[in-house]
C-alpha cells in the first residue's frame, strides 16, 4: 500500500474547497516532489534523499512546498505516483531509484511543462535529467580498510539488484582490498531488493557463518551492521552513517550527500534556468563522503584510506586503473589504462577475487 505522507496531500481537498474564501496570495509556492523506493526511516538511501528534500525547505522557506511518497515499488505503482505528483502541480519531481527510469520517462512525455530528475538512470529528454553518485569511490576506500583488518580473508557482500552500479561497487572494493591482501575473497549474496531488513540480516548471518569477518552491503537498512555488531565482525554503512547501529563493528560508511544538488537544481528550476543533463558526482563534488573511521582501526589503515580518498578527489587515483584481471585471471584492463565512464556504466563482470557469477 502506497502511503502519501506530506501535509500538502492530506490537506489538498480541504484547501481546494476553501480556496474561494481565502485572500489571494502574492505567489503560490514552487512545488517539488520526491518518490522513494524505501521508507524515509530506512537510515540509508531513502533517508539521505529525504535529508536533501529537507535542505530545500530550509533554503527556500515558504517559497517552496515539498512532498514525498515513500516505499513505492518499481513498476506500475511508480508510474501512478509520478503521474499524481505531476497532476497536482509539482513543477520539479525527483524519482530516486533505478527502477523508476522507464516510468519517469513515460510520465515526462505526458507532462512536457514539468521538470523531472531521475537518480542512477540513463534515459534523458528535454524535461528529464539524470544524476548519480560515484559510490564505487567510497567502496574502494573501504576495501583498503578491509585489506588491513581481515583475519579470515573472507568478506561478505550483501548485494541488492544486479545492475552495473552494484557490480561496480563489488569490484572496486575487491580491487583495493586485494592490493593490500591478495588472499582476500569477496562473496556476494543477492537479495533482489533494495530494502528488506529480514533478508539483509539473514544474508549477513549466512556470510558470517561461512567465515566472513567483514560485511559490506549495497542495501538500505542497518540490519547488516546490527548483525555484524551482534556477531563481532566488522561492517561498513551504506548511504548514511550507520555507526549508532554498530559502534564496535562499523568501520566507516559511504555517505551520499544529495542536499547541495537538490538545492541548486531547485534554484535553477525556480529561476527558469533549469536544463536537462547528466551529473555523476563523487568525492570531488562532495556528493560522496566517508563517515568517521572507527577508533579501533589500525592507524596505518586509516591513514592509507584517507590518502586514497584525497587522491581520488584530486584525480590522481582512479579505482579502475589497470592492471585488472577478471575472474578467469585474464587481464581486461592493461597496466596504466583506465576504464572510461561508458565502460563503468555498463559493467557486467566480476574482477578476480569475487566468488560466484553475476546473476543474469
Amino acid at each position: 500500500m502506497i502511503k502519501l505522507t506530506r501535509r500538502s496531500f492530506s490537506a489538498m481537498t480541504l484547501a481546494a474547497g476553501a480556496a474561494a474564501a481565502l485572500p489571494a496570495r502574492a505567489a503560490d509556492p514552487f512545488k517539488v516532489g520526491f518518490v522513494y523506493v524505501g521508507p524515509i526511516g530506512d537510515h540509508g538511501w531513502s533517508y539521505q534523499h529525504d535529508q536533501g528534500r529537507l535542505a530545500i525547505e530550509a533554503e527556500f522557506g515558504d517559497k517552496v512546498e515539498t512532498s514525498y511518497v515513500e516505499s513505492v515499488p518499481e513498476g506500475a505503482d511508480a508510474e501512478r505516483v509520478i503521474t499524481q505528483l505531476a497532476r497536482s502541480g509539482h513543477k520539479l519531481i525527483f524519482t530516486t531509484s533505478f527502477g523508476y527510469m522507464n516510468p519517469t520517462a513515460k510520465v515526462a512525455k505526458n507532462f512536457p511543462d514539468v521538470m523531472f530528475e531521475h537518480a542512477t538512470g540513463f534515459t534523458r529528454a528535454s524535461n528529464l535529467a539524470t544524476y548519480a553518485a560515484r559510490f564505487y569511490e567510497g567502496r574502494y576506500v573501504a576495501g583498503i580498510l578491509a585489506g588491513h583488518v581481515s583475519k579470515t580473508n573472507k568478506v561478505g557482500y550483501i548485494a541488492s539488484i544486479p545492475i552495473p552500479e552494484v557490480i561496480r561497487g563489488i569490484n572496486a572494493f575487491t580491487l583495493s582490498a586485494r592490493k593490500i591482501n591478495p588472499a582476500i575473497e569477496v562473496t556476494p549474496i543477492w537479495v533482489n531488493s533494495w530494502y528488506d531488513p529480514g533478508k539483509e540480516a539473514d544474508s549477513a548471518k549466512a556470510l558470517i557463518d561461512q567465515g566472513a569477518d567483514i560485511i559490506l552491503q549495497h542495501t538500505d537498512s542497518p540490519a547488516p551492521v546490527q548483525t555484524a555488531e551482534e556477531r563481532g565482525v566488522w561492517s561498513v554503512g551504506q548511504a548514511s552513517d550507520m555507526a549508532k547501529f554498530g559502534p564496535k563493528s562499523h568501520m566507516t560508511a559511504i555517505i551520499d550527500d544529495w542536499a547541495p544538488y537538490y538545492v541548486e537544481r531547485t534554484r535553477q528550476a525556480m529561476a527558469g534556468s533549469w536544463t536537462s543533463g547528466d551529473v555523476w558526482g563523487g568525492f570531488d563534488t562532495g556528493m560522496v563522503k566517508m563517515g568517521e573511521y572507527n577508533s579501533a582501526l589500525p592507524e596505518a589503515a586509516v591513514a592509507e584510506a584517507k590518502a586514497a580518498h584525497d587522491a581520488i578527489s584530486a584525480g590522481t587515483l582512479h579505482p579502475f586503473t589497470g592492471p585488472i584481471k577478471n575472474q578467469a585471471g585474464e587481464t581486461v584492463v592493461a597496466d596504466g589504462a583506465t576504464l572510461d565512464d561508458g565502460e563503468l556504466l555498463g559493467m557486467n563482470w566480476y574482477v578476480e577475487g569475487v566468488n560466484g557469477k553475476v546473476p543474469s
Side-chain angles (χ1 to χ4, degrees), residues 18 26 44 61 87 107 111 128 134 147 155 163 177 183 187-188 199 241 252 258 271 290 311 326 332 335 337:
R87 284 177 175 166
V107 178
F111 294 88
L128 171 57
R134 296 180 184 268
V155 176
I163 59 175
T187 301
K199 283 186 178 180
D241 193 329
T252 185
W258 306 106
M290 299 304 296
N326 63 15
V332 292
D335 189 8

Side-chain angles (χ1 to χ4, degrees), residues 67-284:
S67 306
Y68 68 88
V69 189
E70 61 186 345
S71 301
V72 178
E74 296 171 321
D77 284 334
E79 184 179 335
R80 286 193 292 271
V81 168
I82 299 165
T83 298
Q84 184 177 12
L85 288 170
R87 284 177 175 166
S88 58
H90 292 80
K91 293 301 183 183
L92 178 61
I93 299 172
F94 294 96
T95 61
T96 63
S97 189
F98 181 79
Y100 295 157
M101 183 172 65
N102 291 336
T104 303
K106 186 174 180 180
V107 178
K109 288 182 180 180
N110 296 329
F111 294 88
D113 295 330
V114 176
M115 294 160 281
F116 296 84
E117 300 237 7
H118 175 244
T120 73
F122 52 81
T123 297
R124 288 178 288 281
S126 60
N127 66 329
L128 171 57
T130 53
Y131 63 102
R134 296 180 184 268
F135 316 115
Y136 66 86
E137 294 179 350
R139 299 189 190 284
Y140 186 90
V141 171
I144 292 171
L145 300 174
H148 279 281
V149 303
S150 178
K151 292 180 170 56
T152 65
N153 299 329
K154 294 181 179 181
V155 176
Y157 203 115
I158 303 166
S160 49
I161 309 295
I163 59 175
E165 171 193 325
V166 183
I167 296 166
R168 274 195 307 274
I170 294 170
N171 286 343
F173 173 86
T174 304
L175 287 170
S176 61
R178 286 170 63 87
K179 284 182 180 179
I180 306 299
N181 178 0
I184 279 184
E185 294 185 355
V186 178
T187 301
I189 288 182
W190 294 89
V191 297
N192 295 307
S193 174
W194 296 107
Y195 178 79
D196 190 324
K199 283 186 178 180
E200 294 172 57
D202 288 345
S203 297
K205 292 172 184 176
L207 290 163
I208 295 167
D209 287 344
Q210 294 168 25
D213 62 356
I214 300 172
I215 296 295
L216 268 286
Q217 64 183 98
H218 199 135
T219 52
D220 298 341
S221 88
V225 173
Q226 292 170 312
T227 302
E229 181 81 359
E230 293 168 0
R231 299 289 295 273
V233 304
W234 289 109
S235 65
V236 176
Q238 152 75 2
S240 67
D241 193 329
M242 295 180 172
K244 66 181 180 181
F245 297 101
K248 294 180 180 179
S249 75
H250 192 268
M251 289 197 292
T252 185
I254 298 130
I255 298 173
D256 315 332
D257 185 2
W258 306 106
Y261 180 80
Y262 285 156
V263 168
E264 180 57 26
R265 293 299 271 172
T266 300
R267 189 188 314 279
Q268 293 171 4
M270 293 170 69
S273 60
W274 184 97
T275 57
S276 176
D278 179 57
V279 169
W280 199 10
F283 285 155
D284 60 337

